[in-house]
Amino acid sequence: MIKYLLVAGGAGFIGSNFLNYIMRKDESLHVINLDKFTYAASMDNIAALPAERHTLVRGDICDAPLLNEIFSKRHIEGVINFAAQSHVDNSISAPEQFIKTNIEGAFRLLEAARKAWLRAPREPKNAFAGARFLQISTDEVYGSLGDKGLFKESSPYCPNSPYSASKAAADMLARAYHKTYGLNAVISNSSNNFGPCQHEEKFIPAVIKNALNGTPIPLYGDGRNVRDWLYVDDHCRRGWVQ
Ligand SMILES: NC(=O)c1ccc[n+]([C@@H]2O[C@H](COP(=O)([O-])OP(=O)(O)OC[C@H]3O[C@@H](n4cnc5c(N)ncnc54)[C@H](O)[C@@H]3O)[C@@H](O)[C@H]2O)c1
């Protein structure tokens, strides 16, 4: 039987880098790429994917009937949720869509996977015994560090923006689905990513663009904040190790 992966948000920055990496690495993999095509998505990001193994569905992760249809038509054994409203500044000026997509969307995906994969709590259907749900989260759920230190999985959640609060809520839902239903749900909390296909609203592309245009470079606060950066390929390579 063909194995399908449902990738939500696969036409955005990290999702498309992941698909370009994993579909070259595993030539048996078929991907359903569910993407709403917000301003952050681009067809260019996914143009090089093998068409015979990549199905693009333009749709919303909050659309429960659509999710149920996708699960009922294909033998989906893995879900990776990259889909999100992801820009912190936008979450401050217009938080509502962040709550909808990042919290309700994660819930709808978890719920669709639960119905498809489990017969009852902690009883996976035989055909889905190895199925896994990966929720792509952020280290921003842990808040800010002082001058020193690092975050661990055991660090207390302390989100500071509507964006990070919405991601933290989705993490709690993924955790609850694991504890309550035994859904094989995993959360990754990566730091800032950078690399190809990143939208120009994000920090590094914005700095490069402004430097090239000779316009002032935007700095957060007094410019002394420290950020940790991860090259997007490193994130993609470590993200789905079986
Ligand atoms: N970029 C980073 O530095 C970073 C760091 C850590 C974690 N993350 C997380 O990684 C994930 C991907 O981030 P990114 O930078 O690639 O984001 P992005 O904004 O570039 O891409 C998000 C994708 O999700 C799609 N999308 C948005 N709402 C949707 C919906 N309702 N239904 C279906 N698709 C929808 C968009 O069209 C887009 O293709 C996010 O969950 C983000 O929180 C990002």
Side-chain angles (χ1 to χ4, degrees):
M1 194 184 298
I2 295 175
K3 281 192 184 177
Y4 287 94
L5 199 59
L6 172 59
V7 173
F13 165 47
I14 306 177
S16 65
N17 274 283
F18 174 74
L19 287 181
N20 279 293
Y21 162 71
I22 199 80
M23 295 195 78
R24 257 200 314 270
K25 182 169 183 272
D26 182 350
E27 294 190 350
S28 70
L29 195 65
H30 286 62
V31 169
I32 312 295
N33 181 359
L34 173 61
D35 200 300
K36 190 177 173 185
F37 265 78
T38 67
Y39 72 95
S42 167
M43 280 307 284
D44 293 343
N45 295 351
I46 51 173
L49 293 175
E52 68 287 1
R53 294 189 287 118
H54 173 246
T55 307
L56 177 64
V57 178
R58 285 178 184 256
D60 194 323
I61 54 169
C62 298
D63 184 344
L66 174 63
L67 296 179
N68 292 336
E69 188 188 328
I70 291 171
F71 273 92
S72 68
K73 281 192 176 156
R74 302 269 158 69
H75 190 80
I76 290 167
E77 292 187 70
V79 175
I80 309 185
N81 182 22
F82 293 98
Q85 289 286 331
S86 68
H87 193 49
V88 177
D89 294 354
N90 296 344
S91 84
I92 294 165
S93 55
E96 196 161 332
Q97 194 56 48
F98 286 71
I99 304 307
K100 176 101 181 138
T101 294
N102 299 1
I103 304 177
E104 185 189 333
F107 162 69
R108 298 280 174 216
L109 277 170
L110 285 161
E111 188 60 0
R114 177 179 78 82
K115 285 187 196 151
W117 295 346
L118 304 182
R119 184 181 304 125
R122 280 170 288 282
E123 278 184 40
K125 297 176 187 168
N126 288 343
F128 296 102
R132 182 162 62 153
F133 189 112
L134 174 57
Q135 170 65 15
I136 305 294
S137 185
T138 165
D139 67 350
E140 292 189 43
V141 297
Y142 300 118
S144 304
L145 282 172
D147 288 343
K148 289 191 184 139
L150 49 88
F151 295 123
K152 299 183 189 155
E153 279 186 350
S154 54
S155 300
Y157 272 44
C158 190
N160 287 328
S161 67
Y163 163 70
S164 52
S166 68
K167 297 297 291 182
D171 290 5
M172 295 299 125
L173 285 168
R175 179 192 155 86
Y177 269 65
H178 175 64
K179 292 281 176 194
T180 307
Y181 303 113
L183 190 82
N184 184 6
V186 180
I187 304 164
S188 71
N189 297 95
S190 114
S191 60
N192 293 290
N193 284 216
F194 69 102
C197 305
Q198 189 163 30
H199 195 278
E200 62 180 33
E201 70 183 357
K202 297 291 170 65
F203 185 67
I204 289 179
V207 166
I208 293 171
K209 193 180 88 183
N210 286 21
L212 289 172
N213 291 341
T215 50
I217 289 172
L219 281 185
Y220 180 72
D222 62 6
R224 288 189 208 203
N225 288 69
V226 176
R227 289 200 197 186
D228 193 34
W229 293 97
L230 178 64
Y231 186 58
V232 67
D233 266 2
D234 294 331
H235 187 182
C236 294
R237 271 201 298 276
R238 298 295 294 276
W240 192 246
V241 180
Q242 293 279 10

